[in-house]
Structures are given as structure tokens and as C-alpha cells.
């Protein structure tokens, strides 16, 4: 499930914690990394678990309209296509999925306002209206609808982001990645394939036999960074004489240390790939000047070893 780009980001965040907290031990770092990796899959499960609550929100609207003092004919004879979708029961009645949701205590019960707003948004969209107007029903059509919901309703949804931020510190920038996996799951289910929990690392996924371990890759970066932290710090100081190392942006320092650690721990990876990866990450997590700074320092230090 986790590809190497997101694993590098997770390693960087752990090393950043080490920069900010000198008392952090290697055991602390490994524990933090493990929690961070598992959190991405937990977010994926939480988002998949929205199908049932969203369907029940739609049903409650129909029942409320029917109970009005003077309901219209449309309210008395509503279109039940969405509330009878095959996706919600497919997940909620799947024993493996239900067991995981229960184990991880995943629930949307306290988010009724968000569910109301989400359903209002969904039902106002053309893709939903076309779905409701189409004759017949199928698992493939239901799955395609949920793919559209995941693609169009959650990205940039500040209400959802606030909910996720309150639940986990690890989810604030992983929503898009988890949504991609939700769409994949819906597409597979729509083809009649049973849902299964994806392996945590891409190298453990079906068809990845023979690939280098992604788990070993990310753990080796963090371990190498922690064990050689002081040495890397000195190396950086030596090639940045015009900078007081204590004034280097913490994110830049963490990115450079991660790059050095990856170069030492993964000699089979071209050093230019390693440098480029951390330069790319710097665009999202550091200052506008960081790209050139991280690239220059890593290039200078890693080239010394070649």
C-alpha cells in the first residue's frame, strides 16, 4: 500500500521529530515510524467505512419526508436507488471488514452534521442525478458512483480535514493518498472481486515478488539517520561554513540527514534519485529556498562518497 515516496515522507517526519527533540531514542523513532505507517491504512479503512453511514443518512431523509404532515407524491414514492446500493451492505456485512472496523473503533456516529452536509453536496451534483435517473442497477454502477464521491467530495473538504486532524496527527496530509486506495477498492469490488485488506508495504502486495523490501528500506533510513545523527550534523556544518548550523531550517536539516542516511543504507539506489526525492519533498514541507539548499548540500556530501 505504501509506496517509496510516502515512505520517504514518513522517514523525514520521524527524523524531523529527532531534530526538534534531541532526547528521542532509536526505539522512540521506530515506534513513531510504525504508528505512522499503520495510520495511513487506518485512514483508508475509515474512509471506506463511510459508505454505510452515508447510505443511512439518505434513508433517514426519505423517512423524514414521508412523515411530514402533508408529504408530496414524490416524498411518498421516493427514488430508492441510492439507499438500496449494493456497496454499503457489501462492506458492512464483510466479516473481515467488520472485524477491522470494530477492532480499530472506527465510527462516524458523532459526525452527523458532516454526513448531512456530505449528502447534501452529493445529491446536488450532476453525476448523482444521472445515477438516480438511470434505469436498473448494478454493483458496477454503484461502485462507480462511490468512486465519484471519493474523487469529488473529499479533496479539499475542510470539514472532513478538521475531523481527521482531531482524530490523528498523522492524517493531516495523507487524505489524497488514502482516497486513491479507496477508489481502487471500489473499482475492484465493482468488478465482482472480494474486498481484502491491502498489505502495508507495496513490496508485499501481490505481484511484487522479488522486489526489495519497502519495510526494510524505510526502517533502514530511520535507523541509519538516528545512529549517525551527530556525524551527519558535523558533515553538514563543514560544507555550510557561512551558516550557523543551529539556524538551518529544521525541515531542511531533517531532509538532508534523510538523504545522507538513504545514500548510506541503500547503496543500490542511484544517489541522484535519492537527492531528487528529498528535493521534491522539500517543495511541500519547507521554505521556497529549500529546494536549492537541500539539493546543493546533498549533492556536495553524497558526491564525496562516490
Amino acid at each position: 500500500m505504501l509506496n517509496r515516496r510516502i515512505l520517504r515522507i514518513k522517514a523525514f517526519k520521524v527524523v524531523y521529530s529527532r531534530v526538534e527533540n534531541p532526547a528521542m531514542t532509536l526505539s522512540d523513532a521506530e515506534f513513531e515510524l510504525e504508528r505512522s505507517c499503520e495510520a495511513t491504512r487506518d485512514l483508508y479503512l475509515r474512509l471506506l467505512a463511510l459508505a454505510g453511514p452515508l447510505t443511512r443518512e439518505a434513508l433517514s431523509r426519505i423517512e423524514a419526508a414521508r412523515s411530514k404532515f402533508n408529504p408530496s407524491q414524490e416524498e411518498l414514492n421516493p427514488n430508492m436507488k441510492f439507499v438500496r446500493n449494493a456497496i454499503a451492505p457489501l462492506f458492512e456485512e464483510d466479516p473481515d471488514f467488520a472485524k477491522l472496523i470494530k477492532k480499530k473503533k472506527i465510527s462516524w456516529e458523532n459526525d452527523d452534521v458532516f454526513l448531512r452536509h456530505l449528502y447534501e453536496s452529493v445529491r446536488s451534483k450532476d453525476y448523482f442525478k444521472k445515477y438516480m435517473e438511470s434505469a436498473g442497477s448494478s454493483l458496477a454502477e454503484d461502485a462507480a458512483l462511490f468512486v465519484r464521491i471519493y474523487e469529488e467530495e473529499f479533496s479539499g473538504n475542510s470539514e472532513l480535514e478538521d475531523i481527521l486532524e482531531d482524530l490523528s496527527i498523522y492524517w493531516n496530509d495523507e487524505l489524497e493518498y488514502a482516497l486513491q486506495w479507496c477508489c481502487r477498492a471500489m473499482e475492484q469490488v465493482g468488478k465482482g472481486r472480494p474486498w481484502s485488506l491491502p498489505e502495508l508495504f507495496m513490496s508485499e502486495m501481490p505481484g511484487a515478488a522479488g522486489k526489495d523490501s519497502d519495510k526494510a528500506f524505510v526502517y533502514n533510513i530511520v535507523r541509519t539517520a538516528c545512529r549517525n545523527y551527530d556525524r551527519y550534523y558535523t558533515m553538514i556544518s563543514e560544507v555550510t561554513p557561512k551558516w550557523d548550523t543551529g539556524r538551518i531550517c529544521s525541515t531542511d536539516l531533517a531532509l538532508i540527514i534523510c538523504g545522507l542516511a538513504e545514500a548510506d543504507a541503500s547503496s543500490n539506489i542511484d544517489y541522484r534519485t535519492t537527492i531528487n526525492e528529498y528535493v521534491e519533498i522539500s517543495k511541500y514541507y519547507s521554505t521556497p529556498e529549500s529546494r536549492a539548499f537541500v539539493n546543493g548540500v546533498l549533492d556536495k556530501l553524497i558526491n564525496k562518497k562516490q
Side-chain angles (χ1 to χ4, degrees), residues 199-217:
E199 297 293 342
L200 189 54
F201 300 98
M202 290 296 290
S203 61
E204 298 171 355
M205 299 284 285
K211 288 186 65 176
D212 291 341
S213 169
D214 289 330
K215 180 177 181 179
F217 167 77

Side-chain angles (χ1 to χ4, degrees), residues 196-264:
S196 62
L197 182 69
E199 297 293 342
L200 189 54
F201 300 98
M202 290 296 290
S203 61
E204 298 171 355
M205 299 284 285
K211 288 186 65 176
D212 291 341
S213 169
D214 289 330
K215 180 177 181 179
F217 167 77
V218 70
Y219 272 83
N220 284 340
I221 292 174
V222 170
R223 287 167 181 159
T224 304
C226 289
R227 288 167 178 159
N228 295 278
Y229 184 88
D230 292 339
R231 181 168 67 87
Y232 291 152
Y233 191 90
T234 300
M235 290 168 61
I236 295 166
S237 299
E238 289 173 350
V239 298
T240 55
K242 294 182 180 180
W243 287 83
D244 172 1
T245 313
R247 290 178 53 243
I248 293 176
C249 176
S250 295
T251 51
D252 290 355
L253 190 58
L255 286 163
I256 294 166
I257 289 173
C258 278
L260 294 172
E262 181 175 321
D264 281 343

Side-chain angles (χ1 to χ4, degrees), residues 136-156:
S137 61
S138 68
L139 176 62
E141 186 184 21
D142 293 341
L145 172 69
F146 275 95
V147 168
R148 291 297 297 274
I149 291 172
Y150 284 117
E151 287 178 340
E152 303 200 17
E153 303 299 330
F154 299 132
S155 182

Side-chain angles (χ1 to χ4, degrees), residues 159-201:
E159 194 173 4
L160 175 61
E161 289 171 356
D162 288 343
I163 290 171
L164 297 179
E165 186 174 355
D166 287 343
L167 289 169
S168 174
I169 60 172
Y170 300 105
W171 290 347
N172 58 354
D173 57 0
E174 295 195 351
L175 178 59
E176 297 294 335
Y177 192 76
L179 287 172
Q180 291 176 26
W181 279 89
C182 288
C183 291
R184 289 191 198 185
M186 290 297 172
E187 289 166 355
Q188 293 303 307
V189 166
K191 294 175 182 177
R193 298 170 186 168
W195 177 84
S196 62
L197 182 69
E199 297 293 342
L200 189 54
F201 300 98

Side-chain angles (χ1 to χ4, degrees), residues 11 36 55 63 69 89 100 115 117 136 145 151 155 158 184-186 200 209 214 229 261 266 288 298 300:
S36 176
T55 300
E63 292 173 341
F69 176 71
L100 281 166
L115 290 169
H117 293 166
L145 172 69
E151 287 178 340
S155 182
S158 59
R184 289 191 198 185
M186 290 297 172
L200 189 54
D214 289 330
Y229 184 88
S266 305
L298 278 177
K300 191 175 295 184

